[in-house]
Amino acid sequence: MILVIAEHNNEYLKSFTLNAIQASSQIESEIDVLVVGNKSDNVAKELSGVPLVKKVLHINSETYDKQLAEDVAPLITNIAEKYDYIIAPATACGKNLMPRVAAMLDVSQISDIIKIEAPDIFVRPIYAGNALATVKSLDSKKIITVRPTSFDPAPSSGGSAPIEEIQSSESAKLSNFIKKEESKSDRPELGTARVVVSGGRGLQSSENFKLITDLADKLNAAVGASRAAVDAGYVGNDFQVGQTGKVVVPELYIAVGISGAIQHLAGMKESKIIVAINKDEEAPIFNVADYGLKADLFEVIPKLTEELSKLNIIKK
Amino acid sequence: MKILVAVKRVVDYNVQVRVKPDGTGVETENVKMSMNPPDENAVEEALRIKESGKATEIIAVSIGESKCQETIRTALAMGADRGLHIEVEGIIEPLAVAKILKKIVEKENPGLVLLGKQAIDDDCNQTGQMLSAMLAWSQGAFVSKIEFSGENIQVTREVDEGLEILDLKLPSIVTCDLRLNEPRYASLPNIMKAKKKPLDSLSLKDLNVDITPRIQQIKVEEPPKRQKGIMVSSVEELLQKLKNEAKVI
């Protein structure tokens, strides 16, 4: 049996949970999902409608309002006994929580899998995706995080899995939530957008980054950035695409003023079509680009945005 | 308060790694090796905490083959006070590393353990969280800011939606993001001084930890190569290609 840990914000399910469910279904069909939260009934209901889910386990308690790893991990280990697999998406949330669960169960976690070869054999990228390791888990219980963009999302409606409420435990009282600073945006989410427009150090300032957001808006695209651009303060950390940022696999990825360090390529080189715009023709980004344009971004990006307005052909 | 900093010796981040033809791993012979980049941030942060008067001693620990001592010397040259090397041959999984670190923590009693959030070789992102679980300590993962407030620390975590700020009870485990600080370079005099700083070596037997592998590596291969595309000469040509050839707009 598989237990998938749902990622959510108490109001709605984070869609990458569906990718983790889909990946799980390649291993076996007995899939339960755990929702740990506070006033998170909607999330449990959403999951109950996922046809691949057999049962939704739901814990509603103030203790789990912010889902602190120190509190959530013991809860999972309490119910872990009957499960052969515990699986979560390899997001910041899953990466924070799952090793804690694995250590408590004395299991060697398999991180960030991109392919399931057999019920105990998985493929995962190493060295920023410059090599792929095929590994076999020898532990009887398996703790896995799944790279969500490597698996399709499971269908989300038509099911009617029962919801079982389970008891909460005491807080470990080791940490306290102070606040979250979220960037609000009407644009598509970076992780799931059909088109991503990313800017790098070539933008030179946070003011100039508007060229990227204007272009993105014309394409109904999400906005991304290289680490250099985030480090320089042009945009927040949640925009970062790369080895330690987000991994994106859009249909169209447009890299503007990004040289293409190995660490950045790790986060975007699986994109279907890659466009690179850079004034340095030696930039390594051109080696992975389907279409390269050697040009000054300050000249061509406004022009590109303007031409797109004229075309008015954006697929939603 | 003592601070323990865990540092890993990895292939330098600028090296283009090559998969061995026999599929057993990547080439590490005659390849430049360095300290794992976010571990440098961990060392730097420990130094800043000590310089602010909140820590008394910084111990740099590394686990692996004998050459890991070079990585420890780098930490000592940056300013750590003493080093600890646990000699282990071959691949060692994060679970085993965490078990070894737990033994060291029990011996040294640090108030804070700092680690890089992820090693750039195996990209596992596990060790800090595992160590925290084993010690039943608080955990701050992917941290870009640490502030002391009384008996606790406040950490800013980099999460998918932005930033999350947590208050952590000490002792604590913090895994460091590259944005936590700008690591200093070791000056030549400090590199010389580091050679005289104490560096103890322990064997696994001394620690009585079972590191039997739980994961068997079947093969390592190159990812499918992406075909290099074409250069276009104008915005018009680019749009035409995207529309008619790639059909993505």
Side-chain angles (χ1 to χ4, degrees):
Chain A
M1 282 179 84
I2 298 179
L3 181 68
V4 174
I5 312 302
E7 183 170 340
H8 64 92
N9 62 1
N10 290 326
E11 287 167 36
Y12 59 88
L13 184 71
K14 297 283 173 82
S15 65
F16 281 159
T17 309
L18 296 172
N19 305 67
I21 292 171
Q22 181 70 28
S24 301
S25 72
Q26 292 182 21
I27 300 171
E28 61 158 285
S29 60
E30 291 296 315
I31 301 169
D32 290 353
V33 179
L34 175 67
V35 180
V36 182
N38 182 30
K39 301 190 183 113
S40 45
D41 297 345
N42 280 343
V43 180
K45 254 181 238 152
E46 266 185 83
L47 281 161
S48 140
V50 176
L52 285 170
V53 174
K54 288 283 182 294
K55 189 161 69 179
V56 179
L57 304 174
H58 183 216
I59 301 177
N60 238 342
S61 161
E62 274 179 24
T63 310
Y64 308 115
D65 192 45
K66 302 302 174 193
Q67 300 170 47
L68 299 167
E70 298 90 329
D71 293 333
V72 177
L75 201 62
I76 295 171
T77 58
N78 280 346
I79 57 168
E81 200 182 350
K82 66 172 176 176
Y83 294 100
D84 308 300
Y85 296 81
I86 303 176
I87 297 178
T91 53
C93 181
K95 289 172 182 175
N96 183 41
L97 172 66
M98 294 298 269
R100 200 161 175 109
V101 174
M104 291 172 78
L105 296 169
D106 193 26
V107 171
S108 213
Q109 172 178 311
I110 316 269
S111 291
D112 212 14
I113 63 164
I114 58 167
K115 200 171 164 201
I116 297 161
E117 295 272 2
D120 56 350
I121 300 179
F122 310 95
V123 180
R124 55 180 305 270
I126 55 175
Y127 289 92
N130 285 298
L132 300 178
T134 303
V135 295
K136 180 176 182 171
S137 167
L138 308 176
D139 283 304
S140 57
K141 203 179 283 296
K142 304 188 195 321
I143 312 273
I144 296 166
T145 62
V146 171
R147 178 173 289 192
T149 49
S150 296
F151 297 87
D152 290 332
S156 59
S157 64
S160 56
I163 300 173
E164 183 183 316
E165 298 290 333
I166 52 178
Q167 286 296 312
S168 66
S169 319
E170 286 281 296
S171 165
K173 294 204 167 67
L174 292 169
S175 58
N176 267 313
F177 175 87
I178 307 284
K179 65 176 172 179
K180 204 170 214 172
E181 293 170 2
E182 291 188 44
S183 344
K184 297 267 183 260
S185 159
D186 295 331
R187 294 191 190 92
E189 263 189 63
L190 182 53
T192 50
R194 197 187 70 85
V195 180
V196 173
V197 182
S198 285
R201 210 199 304 262
L203 269 301
Q204 294 173 14
S205 74
S206 53
E207 291 74 35
N208 291 341
F209 216 84
K210 188 166 182 302
L211 292 170
I212 299 297
T213 51
D214 286 350
L215 174 58
D217 289 342
K218 281 284 172 285
L219 288 162
N220 189 32
V223 172
S226 67
R227 186 164 87 79
V230 178
D231 285 355
Y234 304 168
V235 286
N237 65 285
D238 43 320
F239 289 81
Q240 186 178 323
V241 171
Q243 183 180 18
T244 65
K246 292 192 173 83
V247 177
V248 299
V249 193
E251 278 182 47
L252 173 61
Y253 187 91
I254 303 180
V256 181
I258 291 176
S259 64
I262 296 167
Q263 294 77 14
H264 184 74
L265 301 184
M268 46 64 78
K269 68 179 178 184
E270 303 301 321
S271 305
K272 195 170 148 225
I273 298 290
I274 296 173
V275 172
I277 299 171
N278 202 299
K279 65 178 177 189
D280 172 14
E281 64 186 322
E282 300 294 318
I285 191 78
F286 286 127
N287 295 329
V288 299
D290 299 280
Y291 304 109
L293 177 59
K294 175 191 171 286
D296 181 349
L297 71 92
F298 295 104
E299 280 167 28
V300 296
I301 298 301
K303 192 166 175 203
L304 184 56
T305 308
E306 193 188 317
E307 291 293 321
L308 280 166
S309 308
K310 284 188 211 159
L311 281 173
N312 195 26
I313 43 155
I314 313 310
K315 281 187 205 158
K316 289 282 171 181
Chain B
M1 180 178 81
K2 286 190 206 174
I3 300 178
L4 186 71
V5 187
V7 295
K8 184 176 186 181
R9 182 172 185 267
V10 298
V11 173
D12 186 84
Y13 78 102
N14 278 316
V15 171
Q16 176 71 50
V17 298
R18 293 194 195 291
V19 172
K20 286 184 191 166
D22 65 2
T24 56
V26 307
E27 289 291 356
T28 52
E29 294 291 317
N30 302 316
V31 167
K32 188 185 177 201
M33 303 293 280
S34 300
M35 186 187 295
N36 182 43
D39 300 356
E40 291 186 331
N41 298 89
V43 174
E44 176 64 35
E45 196 66 16
L47 297 173
R48 293 184 189 192
I49 294 169
K50 189 183 166 196
E51 284 158 5
S52 76
K54 297 208 166 58
T56 49
E57 188 184 29
I58 299 165
I59 307 152
V61 57
S62 191
I63 299 164
E65 57 179 340
S66 55
K67 284 181 175 161
C68 291
Q69 293 197 5
E70 292 168 14
T71 312
I72 297 174
R73 289 287 173 204
T74 305
L76 297 176
M78 286 173 75
D81 298 293
R82 64 187 166 92
L84 263 180
H85 172 229
I86 292 88
E87 181 126 15
V88 183
E89 292 296 326
I91 296 177
I92 173 161
E93 293 165 17
L95 181 73
V97 171
K99 286 179 182 179
I100 294 171
L101 290 175
K102 178 175 182 263
K103 294 278 181 174
I104 304 294
V105 167
E106 285 164 356
K107 240 170 85 127
E108 298 285 352
N109 272 317
L112 183 63
V113 182
L114 298 175
L115 310 89
K117 72 166 178 180
Q118 177 172 338
I120 61 164
D121 50 4
D122 60 25
D123 282 330
C124 278
N125 195 332
Q126 299 174 5
T127 305
Q129 298 90 311
M130 286 182 155
L131 177 62
S132 173
M134 289 172 186
L135 293 163
W137 285 9
S138 62
Q139 134 180 351
F142 333 138
V143 165
S144 59
K145 192 176 178 188
I146 303 177
E147 283 181 306
F148 279 75
S149 65
E151 298 293 295
N152 292 7
I153 50 173
Q154 276 197 7
V155 296
T156 302
R157 302 185 54 228
E158 301 216 334
V159 296
D160 288 339
E161 305 82 22
L163 300 171
E164 180 184 74
I165 299 167
L166 298 179
D167 184 69
L168 305 178
K169 205 167 135 185
L170 290 174
S172 184
I173 307 285
V174 173
T175 77
C176 302
D177 185 87
L178 293 165
R179 269 182 287 277
L180 178 61
N181 53 43
E182 186 77 37
R184 69 194 66 186
Y185 288 101
S187 66
L188 192 59
N190 284 342
I191 292 171
M192 301 312 288
K193 252 196 262 174
K195 292 183 176 162
K196 296 201 183 88
K197 287 185 180 175
L199 197 173
D200 290 332
S201 205
L202 294 170
S203 78
L204 264 185
K205 265 189 242 137
D206 299 331
L207 296 170
N208 189 25
V209 180
D210 177 15
I211 62 157
T212 314
R214 310 291 192 81
I215 294 172
Q216 180 193 341
Q217 189 167 285
I218 294 174
K219 64 175 174 194
V220 173
E221 58 197 331
E222 284 202 27
K225 274 258 180 304
R226 204 179 167 103
Q227 282 291 320
K228 190 176 170 168
I230 57 160
M231 296 300 286
V232 295
S233 56
S234 68
V235 165
E236 290 79 7
E237 190 187 353
L238 174 64
L239 282 171
Q240 189 269 325
K241 294 280 184 195
L242 289 177
K243 193 172 171 225
N244 301 322
E245 195 175 85
K247 297 188 167 61
V248 286
I249 59 169

Short mmCIF file of all heavy atoms in Angstrom, two decimals, chain B residues 8-56:
data_model
loop_
_atom_site.label_atom_id
_atom_site.label_comp_id
_atom_site.label_asym_id
_atom_site.label_seq_id
_atom_site.Cartn_x
_atom_site.Cartn_y
_atom_site.Cartn_z
N LYS B 8 31.13 18.89 2.99
CA LYS B 8 31.30 17.74 2.10
C LYS B 8 32.25 18.09 0.96
O LYS B 8 32.20 19.19 0.41
CB LYS B 8 29.93 17.31 1.53
CG LYS B 8 29.99 16.05 0.66
CD LYS B 8 28.59 15.61 0.22
CE LYS B 8 28.66 14.28 -0.52
NZ LYS B 8 27.33 13.84 -0.98
N ARG B 9 33.08 17.12 0.61
CA ARG B 9 33.99 17.30 -0.51
C ARG B 9 33.28 16.78 -1.77
O ARG B 9 32.85 15.62 -1.81
CB ARG B 9 35.25 16.47 -0.26
CG ARG B 9 36.32 16.58 -1.31
CD ARG B 9 37.57 15.86 -0.80
NE ARG B 9 38.69 16.01 -1.71
CZ ARG B 9 38.98 15.14 -2.66
NH1 ARG B 9 38.26 14.06 -2.82
NH2 ARG B 9 40.02 15.35 -3.46
N VAL B 10 33.14 17.67 -2.75
CA VAL B 10 32.41 17.30 -3.97
C VAL B 10 33.19 17.77 -5.21
O VAL B 10 34.11 18.58 -5.09
CB VAL B 10 31.00 17.94 -4.02
CG1 VAL B 10 30.13 17.46 -2.87
CG2 VAL B 10 31.08 19.47 -4.03
N VAL B 11 32.80 17.29 -6.36
CA VAL B 11 33.35 17.80 -7.61
C VAL B 11 33.03 19.29 -7.70
O VAL B 11 31.90 19.70 -7.44
CB VAL B 11 32.74 17.05 -8.83
CG1 VAL B 11 33.18 17.69 -10.14
CG2 VAL B 11 33.12 15.57 -8.79
N ASP B 12 34.02 20.09 -8.03
CA ASP B 12 33.84 21.54 -8.06
C ASP B 12 32.67 21.93 -8.96
O ASP B 12 32.44 21.32 -10.00
CB ASP B 12 35.12 22.21 -8.58
CG ASP B 12 35.04 23.71 -8.51
OD1 ASP B 12 35.33 24.27 -7.44
OD2 ASP B 12 34.66 24.34 -9.53
N TYR B 13 31.93 22.95 -8.54
CA TYR B 13 30.68 23.26 -9.25
C TYR B 13 30.90 23.75 -10.67
O TYR B 13 29.98 23.76 -11.48
CB TYR B 13 29.82 24.24 -8.44
CG TYR B 13 30.26 25.68 -8.51
CD1 TYR B 13 29.59 26.59 -9.32
CD2 TYR B 13 31.33 26.13 -7.76
CE1 TYR B 13 29.99 27.92 -9.38
CE2 TYR B 13 31.75 27.45 -7.83
CZ TYR B 13 31.06 28.34 -8.64
OH TYR B 13 31.47 29.63 -8.71
N ASN B 14 32.13 24.15 -11.00
CA ASN B 14 32.40 24.61 -12.36
C ASN B 14 32.79 23.49 -13.32
O ASN B 14 32.91 23.71 -14.52
CB ASN B 14 33.54 25.64 -12.36
CG ASN B 14 33.03 27.01 -12.00
OD1 ASN B 14 31.98 27.43 -12.50
ND2 ASN B 14 33.73 27.69 -11.11
N VAL B 15 33.00 22.30 -12.77
CA VAL B 15 33.45 21.18 -13.60
C VAL B 15 32.26 20.58 -14.36
O VAL B 15 31.21 20.34 -13.78
CB VAL B 15 34.13 20.09 -12.73
CG1 VAL B 15 34.39 18.83 -13.55
CG2 VAL B 15 35.41 20.62 -12.11
N GLN B 16 32.45 20.37 -15.65
CA GLN B 16 31.44 19.65 -16.42
C GLN B 16 31.67 18.16 -16.16
O GLN B 16 32.65 17.60 -16.61
CB GLN B 16 31.60 19.99 -17.91
CG GLN B 16 30.67 19.23 -18.84
CD GLN B 16 29.21 19.69 -18.74
OE1 GLN B 16 28.91 20.87 -18.79
NE2 GLN B 16 28.32 18.72 -18.54
N VAL B 17 30.77 17.54 -15.40
CA VAL B 17 31.01 16.16 -15.00
C VAL B 17 30.85 15.22 -16.19
O VAL B 17 30.06 15.47 -17.10
CB VAL B 17 30.10 15.70 -13.85
CG1 VAL B 17 30.34 16.54 -12.61
CG2 VAL B 17 28.64 15.71 -14.24
N ARG B 18 31.63 14.13 -16.15
CA ARG B 18 31.54 13.12 -17.21
C ARG B 18 31.19 11.78 -16.59
O ARG B 18 31.76 11.37 -15.59
CB ARG B 18 32.87 12.99 -17.94
CG ARG B 18 33.19 14.24 -18.70
CD ARG B 18 34.31 14.06 -19.71
NE ARG B 18 34.77 15.39 -20.12
CZ ARG B 18 34.06 16.23 -20.85
NH1 ARG B 18 32.87 15.88 -21.30
NH2 ARG B 18 34.53 17.42 -21.15
N VAL B 19 30.22 11.13 -17.22
CA VAL B 19 29.82 9.81 -16.77
C VAL B 19 30.88 8.80 -17.23
O VAL B 19 31.36 8.87 -18.35
CB VAL B 19 28.43 9.45 -17.35
CG1 VAL B 19 28.07 8.00 -17.05
CG2 VAL B 19 27.37 10.40 -16.78
N LYS B 20 31.27 7.88 -16.33
CA LYS B 20 32.27 6.87 -16.70
C LYS B 20 31.67 5.94 -17.75
O LYS B 20 30.50 5.58 -17.67
CB LYS B 20 32.65 6.05 -15.47
CG LYS B 20 33.53 6.79 -14.48
CD LYS B 20 33.92 5.82 -13.35
CE LYS B 20 34.55 6.53 -12.19
NZ LYS B 20 34.61 5.65 -11.01
N PRO B 21 32.50 5.52 -18.71
CA PRO B 21 31.97 4.66 -19.78
C PRO B 21 31.36 3.36 -19.25
O PRO B 21 30.44 2.82 -19.86
CB PRO B 21 33.21 4.35 -20.64
CG PRO B 21 34.22 5.38 -20.27
CD PRO B 21 33.91 5.85 -18.89
N ASP B 22 31.85 2.85 -18.11
CA ASP B 22 31.29 1.60 -17.60
C ASP B 22 30.01 1.78 -16.79
O ASP B 22 29.45 0.82 -16.27
CB ASP B 22 32.35 0.84 -16.78
CG ASP B 22 32.75 1.58 -15.51
OD1 ASP B 22 32.17 2.67 -15.25
OD2 ASP B 22 33.61 1.08 -14.77
N GLY B 23 29.55 3.02 -16.69
CA GLY B 23 28.27 3.27 -16.03
C GLY B 23 28.28 3.12 -14.51
O GLY B 23 27.22 3.00 -13.89
N THR B 24 29.48 3.15 -13.90
CA THR B 24 29.53 2.97 -12.44
C THR B 24 29.47 4.28 -11.67
O THR B 24 29.39 4.28 -10.45
CB THR B 24 30.81 2.23 -12.02
OG1 THR B 24 31.93 2.97 -12.53
CG2 THR B 24 30.84 0.81 -12.57
N GLY B 25 29.52 5.39 -12.38
CA GLY B 25 29.49 6.67 -11.67
C GLY B 25 30.00 7.77 -12.57
O GLY B 25 29.99 7.63 -13.80
N VAL B 26 30.44 8.87 -11.98
CA VAL B 26 31.03 9.94 -12.79
C VAL B 26 32.52 10.02 -12.46
O VAL B 26 32.95 9.57 -11.40
CB VAL B 26 30.35 11.32 -12.54
CG1 VAL B 26 28.84 11.22 -12.71
CG2 VAL B 26 30.71 11.86 -11.18
N GLU B 27 33.27 10.57 -13.40
CA GLU B 27 34.73 10.68 -13.22
C GLU B 27 35.04 11.61 -12.06
O GLU B 27 34.59 12.76 -12.03
CB GLU B 27 35.37 11.27 -14.49
CG GLU B 27 35.40 10.34 -15.68
CD GLU B 27 36.35 9.15 -15.50
OE1 GLU B 27 37.07 9.09 -14.48
OE2 GLU B 27 36.33 8.27 -16.38
N THR B 28 35.83 11.12 -11.10
CA THR B 28 36.29 12.01 -10.03
C THR B 28 37.82 12.01 -9.96
O THR B 28 38.39 12.76 -9.19
CB THR B 28 35.70 11.59 -8.67
OG1 THR B 28 35.96 10.21 -8.45
CG2 THR B 28 34.20 11.84 -8.59
N GLU B 29 38.45 11.14 -10.78
CA GLU B 29 39.92 11.14 -10.83
C GLU B 29 40.39 12.37 -11.61
O GLU B 29 39.84 12.68 -12.66
CB GLU B 29 40.42 9.88 -11.56
CG GLU B 29 40.13 8.57 -10.84
CD GLU B 29 40.94 8.42 -9.56
OE1 GLU B 29 42.14 8.75 -9.58
OE2 GLU B 29 40.37 7.98 -8.54
N ASN B 30 41.42 13.02 -11.10
CA ASN B 30 41.98 14.19 -11.77
C ASN B 30 40.95 15.26 -12.09
O ASN B 30 40.98 15.89 -13.13
CB ASN B 30 42.68 13.78 -13.08
CG ASN B 30 43.79 12.78 -12.84
OD1 ASN B 30 44.57 12.93 -11.90
ND2 ASN B 30 43.82 11.73 -13.63
N VAL B 31 39.97 15.37 -11.21
CA VAL B 31 38.94 16.40 -11.38
C VAL B 31 39.07 17.32 -10.17
O VAL B 31 39.34 16.87 -9.06
CB VAL B 31 37.55 15.73 -11.40
CG1 VAL B 31 36.45 16.77 -11.25
CG2 VAL B 31 37.35 14.95 -12.69
N LYS B 32 38.88 18.62 -10.41
CA LYS B 32 38.98 19.55 -9.28
C LYS B 32 37.87 19.29 -8.27
O LYS B 32 36.70 19.22 -8.64
CB LYS B 32 38.90 20.98 -9.81
CG LYS B 32 39.19 22.00 -8.71
CD LYS B 32 39.00 23.43 -9.19
CE LYS B 32 39.24 24.36 -8.00
NZ LYS B 32 38.63 25.67 -8.20
N MET B 33 38.26 19.14 -7.01
CA MET B 33 37.29 18.92 -5.94
C MET B 33 37.27 20.15 -5.04
O MET B 33 38.29 20.81 -4.83
CB MET B 33 37.67 17.68 -5.12
CG MET B 33 37.81 16.40 -5.92
SD MET B 33 36.28 15.78 -6.65
CE MET B 33 35.55 14.96 -5.24
N SER B 34 36.10 20.45 -4.49
CA SER B 34 35.97 21.62 -3.62
C SER B 34 34.97 21.33 -2.52
O SER B 34 34.32 20.28 -2.52
CB SER B 34 35.46 22.83 -4.41
OG SER B 34 36.33 23.15 -5.44
N MET B 35 34.82 22.31 -1.63
CA MET B 35 33.78 22.20 -0.62
C MET B 35 32.43 22.43 -1.30
O MET B 35 32.28 23.31 -2.15
CB MET B 35 33.99 23.25 0.49
CG MET B 35 33.03 23.09 1.66
SD MET B 35 33.12 24.42 2.87
CE MET B 35 34.76 24.21 3.52
N ASN B 36 31.44 21.61 -0.94
CA ASN B 36 30.09 21.78 -1.46
C ASN B 36 29.65 23.24 -1.24
O ASN B 36 29.72 23.73 -0.12
CB ASN B 36 29.17 20.81 -0.71
CG ASN B 36 27.76 20.86 -1.19
OD1 ASN B 36 27.49 20.91 -2.39
ND2 ASN B 36 26.83 20.88 -0.24
N PRO B 37 29.21 23.94 -2.32
CA PRO B 37 28.97 25.39 -2.17
C PRO B 37 28.09 25.82 -0.98
O PRO B 37 28.51 26.71 -0.23
CB PRO B 37 28.37 25.78 -3.52
CG PRO B 37 28.96 24.79 -4.48
CD PRO B 37 29.07 23.50 -3.71
N PRO B 38 26.91 25.26 -0.76
CA PRO B 38 26.15 25.76 0.39
C PRO B 38 26.80 25.42 1.75
O PRO B 38 26.47 26.06 2.76
CB PRO B 38 24.77 25.09 0.26
CG PRO B 38 24.95 23.98 -0.69
CD PRO B 38 26.11 24.31 -1.56
N ASP B 39 27.73 24.46 1.75
CA ASP B 39 28.47 24.20 3.00
C ASP B 39 29.40 25.38 3.32
O ASP B 39 29.67 25.68 4.49
CB ASP B 39 29.31 22.92 2.89
CG ASP B 39 28.45 21.68 2.63
OD1 ASP B 39 27.21 21.81 2.61
OD2 ASP B 39 29.03 20.60 2.43
N GLU B 40 29.88 26.04 2.27
CA GLU B 40 30.70 27.24 2.48
C GLU B 40 29.87 28.31 3.17
O GLU B 40 30.35 29.03 4.05
CB GLU B 40 31.20 27.81 1.15
CG GLU B 40 32.21 26.96 0.44
CD GLU B 40 32.76 27.65 -0.79
OE1 GLU B 40 32.04 28.47 -1.40
OE2 GLU B 40 33.89 27.37 -1.15
N ASN B 41 28.59 28.42 2.76
CA ASN B 41 27.71 29.38 3.41
C ASN B 41 27.50 29.00 4.88
O ASN B 41 27.38 29.88 5.74
CB ASN B 41 26.34 29.42 2.70
CG ASN B 41 26.47 29.87 1.27
OD1 ASN B 41 26.67 29.07 0.38
ND2 ASN B 41 26.37 31.17 1.02
N ALA B 42 27.46 27.69 5.14
CA ALA B 42 27.29 27.23 6.52
C ALA B 42 28.50 27.63 7.37
O ALA B 42 28.36 28.13 8.49
CB ALA B 42 27.06 25.73 6.55
N VAL B 43 29.70 27.43 6.81
CA VAL B 43 30.93 27.81 7.53
C VAL B 43 30.92 29.33 7.78
O VAL B 43 31.17 29.80 8.89
CB VAL B 43 32.20 27.41 6.74
CG1 VAL B 43 33.45 27.93 7.43
CG2 VAL B 43 32.27 25.89 6.58
N GLU B 44 30.62 30.07 6.72
CA GLU B 44 30.61 31.53 6.83
C GLU B 44 29.65 32.00 7.92
O GLU B 44 29.97 32.88 8.72
CB GLU B 44 30.24 32.15 5.48
CG GLU B 44 30.10 33.67 5.48
CD GLU B 44 31.40 34.40 5.78
OE1 GLU B 44 32.46 33.90 5.37
OE2 GLU B 44 31.36 35.46 6.45
N GLU B 45 28.46 31.41 7.93
CA GLU B 45 27.46 31.84 8.91
C GLU B 45 27.94 31.53 10.33
O GLU B 45 27.76 32.33 11.25
CB GLU B 45 26.11 31.16 8.65
CG GLU B 45 24.94 31.81 9.35
CD GLU B 45 24.63 33.22 8.86
OE1 GLU B 45 25.12 33.62 7.79
OE2 GLU B 45 23.90 33.94 9.59
N ALA B 46 28.57 30.37 10.50
CA ALA B 46 29.10 30.01 11.82
C ALA B 46 30.13 31.05 12.26
O ALA B 46 30.13 31.49 13.42
CB ALA B 46 29.73 28.62 11.76
N LEU B 47 30.99 31.47 11.32
CA LEU B 47 32.02 32.46 11.66
C LEU B 47 31.38 33.78 12.08
O LEU B 47 31.80 34.41 13.04
CB LEU B 47 32.93 32.69 10.45
CG LEU B 47 33.74 31.46 9.98
CD1 LEU B 47 34.47 31.77 8.68
CD2 LEU B 47 34.73 31.04 11.06
N ARG B 48 30.32 34.17 11.34
CA ARG B 48 29.67 35.45 11.66
C ARG B 48 29.00 35.39 13.03
O ARG B 48 28.98 36.37 13.76
CB ARG B 48 28.65 35.82 10.58
CG ARG B 48 29.33 36.14 9.26
CD ARG B 48 28.34 36.61 8.21
NE ARG B 48 29.04 36.69 6.92
CZ ARG B 48 28.56 37.28 5.85
NH1 ARG B 48 27.37 37.84 5.89
NH2 ARG B 48 29.25 37.30 4.73
N ILE B 49 28.42 34.22 13.33
CA ILE B 49 27.77 34.08 14.65
C ILE B 49 28.83 34.16 15.75
O ILE B 49 28.64 34.83 16.76
CB ILE B 49 26.98 32.75 14.72
CG1 ILE B 49 25.80 32.78 13.73
CG2 ILE B 49 26.48 32.49 16.14
CD1 ILE B 49 25.11 31.44 13.52
N LYS B 50 29.96 33.52 15.51
CA LYS B 50 31.04 33.58 16.51
C LYS B 50 31.57 35.01 16.64
O LYS B 50 31.78 35.51 17.75
CB LYS B 50 32.18 32.62 16.13
CG LYS B 50 33.21 32.48 17.25
CD LYS B 50 34.37 31.59 16.86
CE LYS B 50 35.50 31.76 17.87
NZ LYS B 50 36.78 31.25 17.37
N GLU B 51 31.73 35.68 15.51
CA GLU B 51 32.25 37.05 15.54
C GLU B 51 31.28 37.99 16.26
O GLU B 51 31.70 39.01 16.82
CB GLU B 51 32.52 37.55 14.11
CG GLU B 51 33.79 36.95 13.52
CD GLU B 51 33.84 36.95 12.00
OE1 GLU B 51 32.92 37.51 11.36
OE2 GLU B 51 34.80 36.38 11.45
N SER B 52 29.99 37.66 16.24
CA SER B 52 29.02 38.50 16.94
C SER B 52 28.96 38.16 18.43
O SER B 52 28.16 38.73 19.18
CB SER B 52 27.63 38.33 16.32
OG SER B 52 27.08 37.10 16.75
N GLY B 53 29.79 37.21 18.87
CA GLY B 53 29.88 36.89 20.29
C GLY B 53 28.89 35.84 20.77
O GLY B 53 28.79 35.56 21.96
N LYS B 54 28.16 35.22 19.83
CA LYS B 54 27.13 34.27 20.26
C LYS B 54 27.61 32.82 20.22
O LYS B 54 26.88 31.91 20.61
CB LYS B 54 25.89 34.43 19.37
CG LYS B 54 25.29 35.83 19.53
CD LYS B 54 23.83 35.85 19.26
CE LYS B 54 23.22 37.14 19.76
NZ LYS B 54 23.87 38.34 19.12
N ALA B 55 28.82 32.61 19.76
CA ALA B 55 29.36 31.25 19.78
C ALA B 55 30.82 31.32 20.22
O ALA B 55 31.49 32.34 20.04
CB ALA B 55 29.27 30.62 18.39
N THR B 56 31.28 30.22 20.81
CA THR B 56 32.64 30.22 21.35
C THR B 56 33.60 29.39 20.49
O THR B 56 34.80 29.65 20.46
CB THR B 56 32.64 29.62 22.77
OG1 THR B 56 31.89 28.40 22.74
CG2 THR B 56 32.00 30.58 23.76
#
